[in-house]
Amino acid sequence: MPPTHIRFDWAIKKLLRNKANYGVLAGFLSELLKKTIAIQSILESESNQQDEADKLNRVDILAENDQGELILIEVQNSTEQDYFHRMLYGTSRLITDFLEKGEAYGKVKKVYSVNIVYFSLGQGDDYIYQGRLDFLGLHLEDRLGLSINQRKLFNIQEVYEIFPEYYVIKVNNFNEVAKDTLDEWIYFLKKSQIKEEFTAQGLAEAKENLLVDSLSEEERANYLRFMENRRYEISLIESSRSEVHL
């Protein structure tokens, strides 16, 4: 059995903010977004939680790539009925926070919202969903596109490239059969294990840097406490559900 690695949400809180580990995050995003991602910096976001006493339910990390695009990654462990609304709020907040007062609207940054959820969000049996905005004609059923001048001015080809783009990974729906390199990452998100044959971008770095056994004594103690608290939280949720069905 492959060795156990650190859970991705704890790695986000503690390890992936370090420049030495940007390759792990960049590899995951490159596989998901199907383009080469280079992390320029990790920015502070509204819900960063660093204290051990913080709620374990939600963690996030905000990255800026070398194209100036913003990528918000959120991990949600427990059921949240208004999670779709929170996704919308998160991207809207980023757009307004990173547009300087008096700047032209053309300076709005592209935002990617990557959501890793460990609960049954909405209805849908797939484990990876992509959401982006297109404008379709109600009468002619054509797509509203950019003019030649707009393409040159903003250096993009499609309208959807302006608007936030959403990804939802429903980890629990994954059947643990990795058919491609993105699936290898989903396997890691679900099992915290990396098989020898995996070749996805970033996993080699994760395999080396995210081993539980490689943590310092203090970090290991903090991580084990995090996992125990998480197990306790899951137990409380499951007990509550059982009482509802009695």
Side-chain angles (χ1 to χ4, degrees), residues 121-140:
L121 175 61
Q123 294 187 30
D125 297 327
D126 208 328
Y127 54 95
I128 306 175
Y129 290 88
Q130 178 190 38
R132 65 188 190 190
L133 183 64
D134 272 320
F135 292 90
L136 303 177
L138 294 182
H139 298 96
L140 301 180

Side-chain angles (χ1 to χ4, degrees), residues 69-235:
E69 299 171 327
L70 300 175
I71 306 171
L72 177 63
I73 305 173
E74 298 210 29
V75 183
Q76 176 73 21
N77 287 306
S78 301
T79 300
E80 189 170 335
Q81 296 297 341
D82 61 354
Y83 190 82
F84 288 123
H85 299 78
R86 202 181 80 203
M87 287 165 53
L88 173 62
Y89 175 82
T91 56
S92 302
R93 181 69 181 269
L94 286 180
I95 289 170
T96 55
D97 282 353
F98 284 86
L99 183 66
E100 296 291 338
K101 189 174 182 180
E103 274 193 309
Y105 293 124
K107 298 295 184 180
V108 164
K109 289 181 178 288
K110 172 73 174 184
V111 175
Y112 294 93
S113 172
V114 178
N115 302 272
I116 302 169
V117 300
Y118 290 85
F119 67 97
S120 183
L121 175 61
Q123 294 187 30
D125 297 327
D126 208 328
Y127 54 95
I128 306 175
Y129 290 88
Q130 178 190 38
R132 65 188 190 190
L133 183 64
D134 272 320
F135 292 90
L136 303 177
L138 294 182
H139 298 96
L140 301 180
E141 299 182 357
D142 61 338
R143 292 175 65 249
L144 181 63
L146 297 172
S147 69
I148 294 175
N149 286 339
Q150 287 173 321
R151 290 178 181 179
K152 291 179 179 179
L153 181 61
F154 303 117
N155 194 30
I156 56 176
Q157 298 300 310
E158 302 289 348
V159 171
Y160 72 78
E161 296 179 66
I162 299 171
F163 292 87
E165 195 165 320
Y166 299 89
Y167 291 84
V168 175
I169 300 174
K170 299 176 67 171
V171 179
N172 294 338
N173 283 11
F174 179 58
N175 65 4
E176 300 177 19
V177 178
K179 298 179 180 179
D180 55 31
T181 49
L182 179 54
D183 279 357
E184 292 174 2
W185 261 102
I186 311 304
Y187 184 95
F188 171 64
L189 294 177
K190 186 170 185 178
K191 304 283 288 183
S192 295
Q193 295 175 349
I194 302 171
K195 293 184 178 181
E196 287 294 332
E197 63 268 25
F198 283 179
T199 60
Q201 299 175 76
L203 283 185
E205 292 91 335
K207 189 175 183 179
E208 180 179 350
N209 299 334
L210 301 188
L211 274 172
V212 175
D213 290 343
S214 68
L215 294 173
S216 68
E217 194 171 321
E218 181 180 0
E219 287 176 329
R220 183 180 173 86
N222 289 337
Y223 178 69
L224 293 177
R225 184 162 57 250
F226 167 83
M227 291 300 292
E228 184 58 36
N229 288 340
R230 185 175 178 277
R231 279 190 286 269
Y232 178 67
E233 185 182 70
I234 292 172
S235 178

